[in-house]
Structure formats: structure tokens, C-alpha cells
Amino acid sequence: MCGITGFIEWNRDLTSDLDLVLSMTSCLENRGPDAQGTWISGPIAFGHRRLSVMDPENGAQPMVIYEGDAVFSIVYNGEIYNAPELRVELQRRGVSFRTHCDTEVLLQAYIQWGPDCISRLNGIFAFAVWDSVRNHVFFARDRLGVKPLFYSQISGTFIFGSEPKSILKHPKFEPVIGPEGLAEIFVIGPARTPGHGVYQNMNELKPGHAMIWSRSGLRSYAYWKLEAEPHGDNVEETASNIRKLLQDTMDRQLISDVPVCTLLSGGLDSSALTALAVDYYKRTGQGQMHTYSVDYVDNDKHFKAHSYQPGADAPWIKRMVEELGTEHHWITIDTPELVESLPDSTIARDLPGMVDVDSSLLLFCREIKKGATVAISGEAADEVFGGYPWFHREELLGAGTFPWSIATDLRASLLSPEVRDWISPEKYVAKRYSEAVNEAPKLEGESEAAARMRVMSYLNITRFMPTLLDRKDRMSMGAGLEVRVPFCDHRLVQYVWNVPWEIKSTGDREKGILRKALEGILPEDVLYRKKSPYPKTHNPGYLHAVKEQMLQILDNPASPILPLIDSAKIRAIAASPESSSHLPWFGQLMSGPQLFAYLTQVNHWLIKYQVAIR
């Protein structure tokens, strides 16, 4: 994976702006620690940081191809998993290749088919192509939004980057937050409304979208979206098709010129991918698969089972390591490390995020990076197959709001009266929820119950999943580690989205159809283990540490967060036993401790990024 950035000014020659391009590019170094490149031609300035995965010797970017008088230049972040097939097809059309990397395949695909090339791609990607024939810059982002792409238009300048930090380096861009940005931070966050960049004048290209920046302005359009279609396969056929799609996806995503590992939690999703990876390595004679897991110091002493976290992972990890014969690496994180890395995880996102859920992943990825460059992760299976509790609990299904963030009233109560009046938190969330529900494609003739589950699936794929993909991308790339997410293969997502709920929940179990598809691949006890989310610390020391940090912020009259929040309300929560219980803050993993940690991240972000509010 890599980091891309650049800017375009049609009425200027940018040759003299090399230092600016270098500055915008250098701040993405963690995304691409192996090399840096820039390319400036007239009004176009591109920058690239490279993490070498395929053809390390010849895949430098920006890559430029000359076809007579025509010039095509690309900066690209991602992996094209069907690059071998595309290469063969392009060679049949007379194209000669000078490298073995997918960057050249992608650029040649664009030269041959123009913007329509994206419909042929299977992969995760965000890229920009300067096309001197059409006299425009073409941008595209993968169908599920695994790879990010932010942009801004200011006074005739178009600025883009893999992360906001590169856009913030441009002197024309100011870090300003208005009422919508505050609403995104305080009542939607750590999720974001699709396309919303939070900062004023910053957007993110939506998943499955492309855009063209030309002298006549910006045009953005969807090239892919989920389609509601009848599902004609029975349970056995559905399970068989899912298994075939998953195996094909894994075979594609395990191709690499650098070491690959898997993240293993002992749960259904990671165990399945690890089993498929081990099988692939055996078939291709690549030796032993390395696996990694994360845990926390003294978690065994403090863990208490509850509905969202029914059991500890360690025994199941050992079970799978013994079953598959992997070379396993146990990574253990201590509470002080979690607290100390909260600022680092904020900088990795350029925004407040999932606090210790982020920082633990950042620390985990730093350790993995010492032994591998590419990791396979089970992200997105719960959204695609319906694994979360809110798919199965009537009070959450019928909540009338985003089920992972049901306490809008609690969130609103933490804000100062002036901010509440300014951003209207309840109205903002209701509007965003209504937009999402109305956007979901409908299937004619579907029952009310089936339609409700279709909408719930759509909400999870388009509103909740991006939060976890953001987390995975920023924290892994913050450590220079490429993470691949096979459950985000668009063919699999589209197919499963149309599977009726009674088939998805085969056996009256969450993700029942996935379990059935994996029969014979996993041991039965692992196959039917109760779902458990990403592990978090249960050490009461974490709550104490983040609570104390928050109280220090409240005691400091210079803290920039103070005008935005109701300090008395937060002090009351800190003094209450509620703060250590399961306050409904966000998702399965963010409750009382995470509330305090999130607010400390907001304060740090306001200071570090010198954010103005107006």
C-alpha cells in the first residue's frame, strides 16, 4: 500500500512548487516507508510514498507512460487482485509491459479503456491519472471504500490526498470546523457520514465512486452500488457459492513478493481466513504461515463475560494454532502503552477515533511490521453476514436510529447549550439516518420483515463498516503495514447482500450461512463458537487513567474543548459508578472508559491541528 497526494491548478505552471509537493508527500511517510516520488508537469503536481509489495525494483511512482504526444501519469494506492488476468488481456491487445507490478497494469488499463477501466478491476484502490488526451485528471476509489481518498476545491485549486494531513499541508487549506463538522465529531463519530471530510471544504470520495477534474470543473459519479436482486439459490447452493467466492478471493489476495501473515483471534472469521491461507501455502509450497494475535496485560484477571464479549480468545487461538500448525506470535499490550498512544492514533486518523480500539491496533501493527509487510484480516464479515447483536435484537432493529449508536440523547447532553443549539444533534442524526434508510435499494414484492433486514444490512455495509475500514487502514498504514480484507470482495458482498435473512441465519445462528459454507474447513467447535469482537482491555487502570486525563483537561481553563462541552455533566459521569459500566457510547467496544478517552482525543486534536471553529 501507499500514500498519494497532489494538487492541480489549471492556470499555473507548478514547476516552482516542488517543495510544497514534497511537504505534502513526506507527511504520508508511514503509509509508504520504502520510497518517495514526485512528478510535476504544467498544472499537475503528484506525490507518492511507496510501500513495496509487488515488483519492488520497478514499481516506482508516480508512473508515467508516453504514447506519442500523449502523456499519462498515475499515483495509486492499493492492490489490483485480478492484475494477472488484465495483463494477459492487455498483452493480447498489443500492450508491452516493462514491470511486473499492478501499477503498470492499472495505468495501461486506463490508457486502453479510459475511465471505464474501473468496471474491470477487482481490488482495493484509490488513484489519480493525468490524461493529456482528455485533458483531465481521473480519480477512482474501490467499491467498498477500503482505501481512502480525500479532496478539496479552494479558489481554483484542487487538492487531494490519502489522508487529510496531506491536504492540511497546502497553504490554501485551513483546518476549520463548522456546525456539520461538530455534529460529525460529537454525535456521529467515530463514524462519518459517507463523503464527509469533517473539516470545512474537505470531502472524501465515496466508495464505488469516480470523479473527473477538468477545466470545466468537477464531476463525480457512482460506478458501482449494491443492487437488490432476487436470490434463487437454496441453502446448499448458497453455502457452496460463498465458499467458492471466498476461496477464490483468498487465492488472489495471498499473492505477494513480500512476507504475508494473518491476524488470528480464534473467532470464525479470522480462523476461516487463516485455514484458507494455510491451505494455499501448502498447495503452492510456500512453507509455514505466520499468525498474530493481540491481548492485554492482566486481561485474564479482569475479564468478565457479557453479551457483547461472551468469552476470552486465548484458548481458541491456541486451538487453531495447534490445528493449523502456524508459527504464532503473541503480542501483549500494557495499559500505559494504550494511554500513551492515544495521541498517535489521533494523528494517524487526523481526527478523534475509536480511542483504545485504535491505539491497540496501531501498537499491534507496529509489532507485526517487524516480521511481515502484508497481513490478512477478517474485517467486514459481521456487516456482510449479519453477525452483530443489532441484527438479532428487536429493540435495536426497531431503534429508529443507527443501532450501534443509540444514545444520541446522552451524547447531546455532553455538549454545551450553545453547541446543542447550533448543531441540533438529534435532528442531525435523524436526518443522516433517514438519508441512509431511503438510499437502500428495495426489492419489489419483498415482505416487510425481509425489507427491514435488507435495510439493516445496507446500513451496516455503508455506514458502520467504513468506520472499521478507516480504523484498519489508518492504524495499519500508520505502521507501514498493508492489511487485506477478503470479506470486502465486491462479488462476495453483492451476492451475500441479496441472500434472504432466513438463509443467512441458517441453523438459527448469527452468520449461519457462513458457518455452513466453512464446514470441513474449520473444526466444529470453532465453527460454532459464539461471536466475540476485537479484544479490548478490561483493566480498570485504563478507566482510571483516561478519567484522570479528562479531569485534568476540565481543570485547565485553556483547554479548547471546554466551550464545546458541559463540564458539569462530564464531572458527574466521572464521579458515578456508571462510568465503569456499559454506557452506550458506540458499537460493542466503546462505553464509559472510551467516552473519556474520546473527549481527550478531541481536545488533543483541537490543539495539535490548531482547529478553528466557525
Side-chain angles (χ1 to χ4, degrees):
M1 298 300 171
C2 304
I4 67 173
T5 190
F7 61 101
I8 302 104
E9 291 187 38
W10 294 122
N11 299 319
R12 282 189 60 218
D13 184 337
L14 303 183
T15 307
S16 61
D17 288 349
L18 177 60
D19 287 346
L20 174 55
V21 183
L22 287 170
S23 174
M24 293 170 65
T25 305
S26 296
C27 72
L28 299 173
E29 180 178 1
N30 285 339
R31 294 189 73 89
D34 296 329
Q36 176 170 289
T38 60
W39 183 79
I40 300 176
S41 179
I44 313 297
F46 283 172
H48 185 266
R49 289 292 321 190
R50 187 179 185 210
L51 176 65
S52 300
V53 173
M54 301 297 293
D55 196 0
E57 295 297 319
N58 302 304
Q61 294 185 49
M63 183 175 285
V64 185
I65 292 178
Y66 298 92
E67 297 266 323
D69 294 332
V71 181
F72 301 90
S73 178
I74 188 171
V75 280
Y76 154 59
N77 167 32
E79 295 289 339
I80 306 300
Y81 299 128
N82 65 334
E85 296 100 307
L86 288 173
R87 178 184 293 270
V88 170
E89 186 174 356
L90 289 163
Q91 286 173 330
R92 287 173 180 159
R93 296 172 68 94
V95 175
S96 298
F97 289 91
R98 56 185 177 83
T99 75
H100 299 290
C101 69
D102 58 345
T103 305
E104 187 179 11
V105 173
L106 176 55
L107 184 52
Q108 287 287 7
Y110 177 86
I111 292 169
Q112 290 295 312
W113 298 302
D116 291 342
C117 71
I118 46 178
S119 65
R120 300 171 180 262
L121 305 180
N122 178 317
I124 53 178
F125 52 82
F127 65 87
V129 174
W130 160 239
D131 178 344
S132 71
V133 176
R134 297 173 177 87
N135 201 29
H136 70 214
V137 181
F138 176 74
F139 300 86
R141 189 176 179 209
D142 65 74
R143 294 168 179 84
L144 277 303
V146 178
K147 292 289 106 184
L149 185 61
F150 293 87
Y151 67 94
S152 178
Q153 302 175 67
I154 302 176
S155 304
T157 302
F158 189 92
I159 314 166
F160 69 93
S162 294
E163 297 176 7
K165 58 175 57 70
S166 61
I167 296 174
L168 289 164
K169 284 288 185 180
H170 197 285
K172 282 191 176 182
F173 192 89
E174 294 181 78
V176 175
I177 300 292
E180 275 206 10
L182 286 175
E184 289 287 316
I185 292 290
F186 283 109
V187 291
I188 298 291
R192 280 186 295 114
T193 300
H196 211 298
V198 180
Y199 298 92
Q200 276 188 7
N201 297 318
M202 187 184 294
N203 298 96
E204 186 174 22
L205 184 62
K206 293 179 182 179
H209 278 63
M211 61 184 176
I212 293 172
W213 175 247
S214 67
R215 293 181 184 273
S216 58
L218 182 67
R219 180 170 71 90
S220 178
Y221 62 94
Y223 68 87
W224 182 87
K225 60 183 179 180
L226 289 168
E227 300 285 353
E229 299 168 344
H231 183 79
D233 299 332
N234 62 28
V235 171
E236 296 294 336
E237 292 166 338
T238 301
S240 175
N241 286 333
I242 288 169
R243 181 169 177 153
K244 289 174 185 175
L245 281 167
L246 199 52
Q247 286 180 321
D248 178 71
T249 298
M250 280 296 290
D251 283 2
R252 293 176 182 277
Q253 296 196 18
L254 285 163
I255 297 172
S256 172
D257 290 339
V258 294
V260 179
C261 68
T262 70
L263 310 187
L264 178 62
S265 71
L268 175 69
D269 312 328
S270 68
S271 297
L273 298 184
T274 301
L276 292 170
V278 167
D279 175 68
Y280 177 84
Y281 263 44
K282 286 179 180 177
R283 284 187 281 119
T284 54
Q286 294 189 56
Q288 192 175 30
M289 173 61 62
H290 285 246
T291 51
Y292 289 79
S293 64
V294 64
D295 204 351
Y296 305 88
V297 173
D298 292 335
N299 236 20
D300 55 338
K301 298 178 183 177
H302 302 294
F303 176 79
K304 292 180 181 178
H306 57 84
S307 59
Y308 279 179
Q309 193 97 26
D313 287 330
W316 296 97
I317 294 168
K318 291 177 182 176
R319 169 82 172 90
M320 286 306 302
V321 168
E322 291 170 2
E323 175 76 19
L324 298 174
T326 66
E327 178 70 31
H328 192 68
H329 308 263
W330 298 89
I331 308 300
T332 306
I333 298 170
D334 205 353
T335 299
E337 293 177 274
L338 275 182
V339 178
E340 290 165 10
S341 59
L342 282 172
D344 286 351
S345 63
T346 308
I347 292 167
R349 271 194 192 255
D350 298 311
L351 289 168
M354 296 186 76
V355 293
D356 57 299
V357 188
D358 277 359
S359 60
S360 63
L361 181 59
L362 180 61
L363 293 168
F364 186 31
C365 288
R366 286 174 178 169
E367 291 300 311
I368 296 169
K369 177 65 177 178
K370 295 175 182 178
T373 304
V374 178
I376 303 291
S377 174
E379 228 78 27
D382 287 307
E383 291 88 345
V384 174
F385 288 93
Y388 291 121
W390 44 81
F391 280 93
H392 307 273
R393 296 184 185 176
E394 186 58 39
E395 74 274 15
L396 296 176
L397 275 168
T401 189
F402 298 113
W404 48 85
S405 187
I406 58 173
T408 303
D409 54 347
L410 168 64
R411 284 171 165 253
S413 74
L414 303 180
L415 300 173
S416 68
E418 296 79 10
V419 171
R420 285 203 302 270
D421 290 343
W422 194 28
I423 71 175
S424 301
E426 292 88 352
K427 288 183 180 178
Y428 189 84
V429 172
K431 176 186 174 185
R432 293 307 191 193
Y433 178 71
S434 177
E435 288 171 351
V437 170
N438 293 333
E439 181 185 295
K442 297 171 178 58
L443 184 63
E444 188 175 346
E446 199 166 45
S447 71
E448 184 179 342
R452 183 170 71 159
M453 297 311 299
R454 181 180 291 278
V455 169
M456 178 58 78
S457 294
Y458 187 83
L459 292 175
N460 276 264
I461 292 168
T462 65
R463 297 307 192 271
F464 188 69
M465 190 165 79
T467 309
L468 301 187
L469 293 178
D470 276 359
R471 166 182 172 263
K472 189 68 79 173
D473 174 81
R474 303 305 188 282
M475 300 309 125
S476 62
M477 295 308 296
L481 177 73
E482 175 184 325
V483 174
R484 298 176 179 178
V485 281
F487 285 110
C488 281
D489 184 283
H490 70 277
R491 302 167 302 165
L492 180 68
V493 174
Q494 171 64 42
Y495 180 76
V496 176
W497 187 61
N498 281 304
V499 172
W501 185 250
E502 60 269 21
I503 295 181
K504 279 184 186 172
S505 56
T506 292
D508 199 27
R509 286 296 307 272
E510 77 279 0
K511 298 189 288 191
I513 192 61
L514 178 59
R515 297 176 196 275
K516 185 167 184 60
L518 295 169
E519 287 177 353
I521 292 177
L522 291 179
E524 190 165 330
D525 55 342
V526 176
L527 192 61
Y528 290 99
R529 178 194 171 195
K530 185 72 175 173
K531 173 182 163 47
S532 188
Y534 176 84
K536 72 171 185 177
T537 182
H538 298 275
N539 192 324
Y542 181 76
L543 169 62
H544 176 76
V546 294
K547 187 191 296 186
E548 285 302 307
Q549 279 192 350
M550 191 64 224
L551 290 173
Q552 289 172 18
I553 289 169
L554 295 178
D555 289 338
N556 181 357
S559 298
I561 196 175
L562 294 185
L564 307 177
I565 59 176
D566 185 333
S567 298
K569 172 72 173 180
I570 294 163
R571 287 185 189 276
I573 294 175
S576 166
E578 272 191 327
S579 65
S580 60
S581 67
H582 301 296
L583 274 177
W585 180 246
F586 186 87
Q588 302 174 90
L589 299 175
M590 297 182 71
S591 56
Q594 287 72 35
L595 183 155
F596 295 115
Y598 187 80
L599 294 177
T600 64
Q601 276 197 330
V602 173
N603 193 69
H604 174 75
W605 167 69
L606 291 169
I607 296 169
K608 178 71 176 179
Y609 287 76
Q610 299 183 319
V611 178
I613 298 170
R614 57 177 184 261

